[in-house]
Amino acid sequence: MSLVSIQNVRKSFGEVEVLKGVSVEIARGAVVAIIGKSGSGKSTLLRCINGLETYDAGGISVDGIDVAAARADLRDLRRNVGMVFQQFNLFPHLTAAENVMLAPRVVNRESEIRAKELAREMLAKVGLADKAGNYPSQLSGGQQQRVAIARALAMRPNVLLCDEITSALDPELVNEVLRVIEALAKDGMTLILVTHEMRFARDVGTKLVFMHQGKVHEEGPPKQLFAGPTTPELVQFIGASLH
Amino acid sequence: MSDFSFWVILSNLLLATRWTIALSLVAFASGGLVGLALLFARVSRIGWLEWTTKAYVEFFQGTPLLMQLFLFFFGVALFGIEVSPWLAAWLALTFWTSAFLTEIWRGCVEAIPKGQWEAADTLAMSYMQQMWHVILPQAFRIAIPPTVGFSVQVVKGTALASIIGFVDLTKAGTMLNNATFRPFLVYSLVALIYFALCFPLSWFAHRLERTFNVAR
Ligand SMILES: Nc1ncnc2c1ncn2[C@@H]1O[C@H](COP(=O)(O)OP(=O)(O)O)[C@@H](O)[C@H]1O
Ligand SMILES: [Mg+2]
């Protein structure tokens, strides 16, 4: 059974239909890379999975929980679905460790001691054990994004959503973040990544989803799609991204 | 003779200034507490609560403070309840202050980027947890300069309480003028004392603003 099941989802902003019947099945442990041109609906699709956006038709379920049905209180769902954003969205008034500890403390009601341990463990996992006491403004973009990943992981999610998490970074900082994601993939974490990192999508992904004009235009094993894209749109997209 | 009356005028004005300061402090403190409660209502995402608070804010921002003082002073008397000038002034200034502070603070809450709410949302935090742990601590920082700045308005606002008979700095000035017939001297001194109260506050507000802008 799929961990995340997206069936024929439709979504409009006003008059504009942004998702025109999207279906994707995501197995436990899968690493799904969603690619496509800007405006093709990738972020919107991702944000529907944890209820940051509502959808108009179709269905999404995560670990058996129907997202639309959970609408009244999405907190149980969100405990299982972590998210990392392009702009990091760290809490600037809290240190790295406090950022990681906050949700375990107030949402899961962990003790201060347990939460501190958890923060140490998660920061170590993203290679930032020595930055626990730093505020976000004292960290590089790549470090901030790794703290954001640690913060999401501290809730022990079943699936992690990543929306272009390296797009705001200077090129030399991209790899340190991708390496963390790769390690998570090796650990068996289910990942859904909107990304422009084609090489990463091909090497680490277990499934590639190419979105075009609000639809899944092509999907399949990444290596296969990159080697032989069947639609002219994907041929063009891959060609354009390699330059 | 003229020297003597100068010192008499000044010392009487300074004595009355105590009441201006007391009323300002009390009104600002109670207005701040009411304002904080109203802030929660104003951004509660509960429709009727937000609308009621909005109407309250609009009323106290959209009518002269003097009318509000009259309403409390004469209006409550209509119900046979005796209201002292002190009580009426305190109540009116509390409501008036709370309305303005609620609005200032709402602006600060809304200035926090949407991404902060979304990050807290995705961490499964409840609305109140998001407010308390994520939004308010950040809003508080940016709220300090305009809040201190607004305290100047409260100090100046207390002058109106003299009209309903509260013996503050302004009222003392009027009484001294009636006794000495030296309006220019008396009101110059009154203005100077208000300035001495207000200028440090607005200077401090500007300094805070600069500090916080640099800190970002
Ligand atoms: N909150 C919104 N309100 C209105 N239109 C939106 C909103 N969010 C996204 N859109 C529009 O939906 C389309 C898809 O956006 P998005 O999902 O962000 O695409 P992508 O992530 O693939 O670049 C775009 O045309 C965008 O302008
Ligand atoms: Mg996007």
Short mmCIF file of all heavy atoms in Angstrom, two decimals, chain B residues 55-69 71-72 92 95-96 99-100 160:
data_model
loop_
_atom_site.label_atom_id
_atom_site.label_comp_id
_atom_site.label_asym_id
_atom_site.label_seq_id
_atom_site.Cartn_x
_atom_site.Cartn_y
_atom_site.Cartn_z
N ALA B 55 -14.70 46.72 15.61
CA ALA B 55 -15.67 47.79 15.84
C ALA B 55 -15.26 48.63 17.04
O ALA B 55 -15.33 49.87 17.02
CB ALA B 55 -17.06 47.18 16.05
N TYR B 56 -14.83 47.97 18.10
CA TYR B 56 -14.35 48.66 19.30
C TYR B 56 -13.20 49.61 18.96
O TYR B 56 -13.21 50.78 19.32
CB TYR B 56 -13.90 47.58 20.30
CG TYR B 56 -13.21 48.09 21.56
CD1 TYR B 56 -13.92 48.24 22.75
CD2 TYR B 56 -11.84 48.37 21.56
CE1 TYR B 56 -13.28 48.68 23.90
CE2 TYR B 56 -11.20 48.82 22.70
CZ TYR B 56 -11.93 48.97 23.87
OH TYR B 56 -11.29 49.40 25.01
N VAL B 57 -12.22 49.07 18.24
CA VAL B 57 -11.06 49.88 17.87
C VAL B 57 -11.49 51.07 17.02
O VAL B 57 -11.09 52.20 17.26
CB VAL B 57 -10.02 49.01 17.12
CG1 VAL B 57 -8.94 49.89 16.48
CG2 VAL B 57 -9.40 48.00 18.06
N GLU B 58 -12.35 50.80 16.03
CA GLU B 58 -12.81 51.88 15.15
C GLU B 58 -13.52 52.96 15.94
O GLU B 58 -13.34 54.15 15.70
CB GLU B 58 -13.75 51.32 14.07
CG GLU B 58 -13.08 50.41 13.07
CD GLU B 58 -12.06 51.12 12.19
OE1 GLU B 58 -12.19 52.36 12.02
OE2 GLU B 58 -11.13 50.47 11.69
N PHE B 59 -14.34 52.54 16.90
CA PHE B 59 -15.09 53.53 17.68
C PHE B 59 -14.14 54.45 18.45
O PHE B 59 -14.26 55.67 18.40
CB PHE B 59 -16.05 52.85 18.66
CG PHE B 59 -16.74 53.84 19.56
CD1 PHE B 59 -17.82 54.59 19.10
CD2 PHE B 59 -16.29 54.04 20.87
CE1 PHE B 59 -18.43 55.53 19.92
CE2 PHE B 59 -16.90 54.98 21.70
CZ PHE B 59 -17.98 55.73 21.22
N PHE B 60 -13.19 53.86 19.16
CA PHE B 60 -12.33 54.70 20.00
C PHE B 60 -11.29 55.46 19.19
O PHE B 60 -10.79 56.49 19.63
CB PHE B 60 -11.68 53.86 21.11
CG PHE B 60 -12.65 53.52 22.21
CD1 PHE B 60 -13.28 52.28 22.25
CD2 PHE B 60 -12.98 54.46 23.17
CE1 PHE B 60 -14.20 51.99 23.24
CE2 PHE B 60 -13.89 54.17 24.17
CZ PHE B 60 -14.50 52.93 24.20
N GLN B 61 -10.96 54.94 17.99
CA GLN B 61 -10.04 55.70 17.14
C GLN B 61 -10.77 56.76 16.34
O GLN B 61 -10.18 57.76 15.95
CB GLN B 61 -9.33 54.75 16.17
CG GLN B 61 -8.23 53.93 16.81
CD GLN B 61 -7.31 53.28 15.80
OE1 GLN B 61 -7.71 53.01 14.67
NE2 GLN B 61 -6.09 53.02 16.19
N GLY B 62 -12.07 56.54 16.12
CA GLY B 62 -12.81 57.41 15.22
C GLY B 62 -13.63 58.49 15.91
O GLY B 62 -14.38 59.21 15.26
N THR B 63 -13.52 58.58 17.25
CA THR B 63 -14.22 59.66 17.96
C THR B 63 -13.19 60.41 18.81
O THR B 63 -12.20 59.83 19.23
CB THR B 63 -15.32 59.09 18.89
OG1 THR B 63 -14.74 58.12 19.75
CG2 THR B 63 -16.44 58.44 18.09
N PRO B 64 -13.45 61.72 19.05
CA PRO B 64 -12.48 62.48 19.83
C PRO B 64 -12.39 61.96 21.26
O PRO B 64 -13.41 61.59 21.86
CB PRO B 64 -13.05 63.91 19.83
CG PRO B 64 -14.02 63.94 18.71
CD PRO B 64 -14.55 62.55 18.57
N LEU B 65 -11.19 61.97 21.77
CA LEU B 65 -10.98 61.53 23.16
C LEU B 65 -11.84 62.36 24.12
O LEU B 65 -12.37 61.84 25.11
CB LEU B 65 -9.50 61.65 23.50
CG LEU B 65 -9.09 61.35 24.95
CD1 LEU B 65 -9.52 59.95 25.36
CD2 LEU B 65 -7.57 61.49 25.11
N LEU B 66 -12.02 63.64 23.79
CA LEU B 66 -12.82 64.51 24.66
C LEU B 66 -14.26 64.00 24.77
O LEU B 66 -14.84 63.97 25.86
CB LEU B 66 -12.80 65.94 24.13
CG LEU B 66 -13.46 66.99 25.01
CD1 LEU B 66 -12.84 67.01 26.41
CD2 LEU B 66 -13.35 68.38 24.37
N MET B 67 -14.82 63.55 23.64
CA MET B 67 -16.19 63.00 23.67
C MET B 67 -16.24 61.75 24.54
O MET B 67 -17.21 61.51 25.26
CB MET B 67 -16.65 62.64 22.25
CG MET B 67 -16.81 63.82 21.32
SD MET B 67 -17.86 65.09 22.04
CE MET B 67 -16.75 66.48 21.96
N GLN B 68 -15.19 60.95 24.45
CA GLN B 68 -15.16 59.73 25.27
C GLN B 68 -15.10 60.09 26.75
O GLN B 68 -15.78 59.46 27.57
CB GLN B 68 -13.94 58.88 24.87
CG GLN B 68 -14.04 58.37 23.42
CD GLN B 68 -12.70 57.90 22.89
OE1 GLN B 68 -11.80 57.52 23.64
NE2 GLN B 68 -12.55 57.92 21.57
N LEU B 69 -14.35 61.11 27.08
CA LEU B 69 -14.30 61.56 28.47
C LEU B 69 -15.67 62.02 28.94
O LEU B 69 -16.13 61.65 30.02
CB LEU B 69 -13.30 62.72 28.61
CG LEU B 69 -11.85 62.35 28.75
CD1 LEU B 69 -10.96 63.56 28.49
CD2 LEU B 69 -11.57 61.79 30.14
N LEU B 71 -18.55 61.13 27.74
CA LEU B 71 -19.44 59.98 27.84
C LEU B 71 -19.27 59.27 29.18
O LEU B 71 -20.24 58.88 29.82
CB LEU B 71 -19.18 58.99 26.69
CG LEU B 71 -19.78 59.41 25.34
CD1 LEU B 71 -19.38 58.42 24.25
CD2 LEU B 71 -21.30 59.48 25.44
N PHE B 72 -18.02 59.10 29.58
CA PHE B 72 -17.80 58.41 30.86
C PHE B 72 -18.19 59.29 32.04
O PHE B 72 -18.78 58.82 33.01
CB PHE B 72 -16.33 57.97 30.99
CG PHE B 72 -16.04 56.72 30.25
CD1 PHE B 72 -15.42 56.75 29.02
CD2 PHE B 72 -16.43 55.49 30.77
CE1 PHE B 72 -15.17 55.58 28.31
CE2 PHE B 72 -16.19 54.32 30.07
CZ PHE B 72 -15.56 54.37 28.83
N ALA B 92 -11.78 56.36 30.53
CA ALA B 92 -11.77 56.81 29.13
C ALA B 92 -10.40 56.60 28.51
O ALA B 92 -10.27 56.08 27.39
CB ALA B 92 -12.19 58.27 29.04
N PHE B 95 -9.69 52.84 27.77
CA PHE B 95 -10.33 52.33 26.55
C PHE B 95 -9.63 52.89 25.31
O PHE B 95 -9.33 52.16 24.36
CB PHE B 95 -11.81 52.71 26.54
CG PHE B 95 -12.65 51.84 27.43
CD1 PHE B 95 -12.79 52.11 28.78
CD2 PHE B 95 -13.30 50.72 26.92
CE1 PHE B 95 -13.55 51.29 29.60
CE2 PHE B 95 -14.06 49.90 27.73
CZ PHE B 95 -14.18 50.18 29.08
N TRP B 96 -9.38 54.20 25.37
CA TRP B 96 -8.77 54.87 24.22
C TRP B 96 -7.37 54.28 23.94
O TRP B 96 -7.04 53.92 22.82
CB TRP B 96 -8.69 56.37 24.55
CG TRP B 96 -8.06 57.23 23.52
CD1 TRP B 96 -8.65 57.70 22.38
CD2 TRP B 96 -6.74 57.78 23.56
NE1 TRP B 96 -7.77 58.50 21.69
CE2 TRP B 96 -6.59 58.57 22.38
CE3 TRP B 96 -5.66 57.69 24.44
CZ2 TRP B 96 -5.42 59.25 22.09
CZ3 TRP B 96 -4.50 58.37 24.15
CH2 TRP B 96 -4.38 59.14 22.99
N ALA B 99 -7.46 50.72 22.51
CA ALA B 99 -7.84 50.65 21.09
C ALA B 99 -6.62 50.92 20.20
O ALA B 99 -6.37 50.19 19.24
CB ALA B 99 -8.95 51.65 20.79
N PHE B 100 -5.87 51.96 20.54
CA PHE B 100 -4.71 52.29 19.70
C PHE B 100 -3.62 51.22 19.81
O PHE B 100 -3.02 50.84 18.81
CB PHE B 100 -4.15 53.67 20.08
CG PHE B 100 -4.90 54.79 19.41
CD1 PHE B 100 -6.05 55.30 20.01
CD2 PHE B 100 -4.48 55.31 18.20
CE1 PHE B 100 -6.75 56.33 19.39
CE2 PHE B 100 -5.18 56.33 17.58
CZ PHE B 100 -6.33 56.85 18.18
N LEU B 160 -6.67 66.51 28.44
CA LEU B 160 -8.11 66.71 28.25
C LEU B 160 -8.90 66.45 29.52
O LEU B 160 -10.00 66.95 29.70
CB LEU B 160 -8.61 65.81 27.12
CG LEU B 160 -8.16 66.22 25.72
CD1 LEU B 160 -8.57 65.16 24.71
CD2 LEU B 160 -8.77 67.57 25.36
#
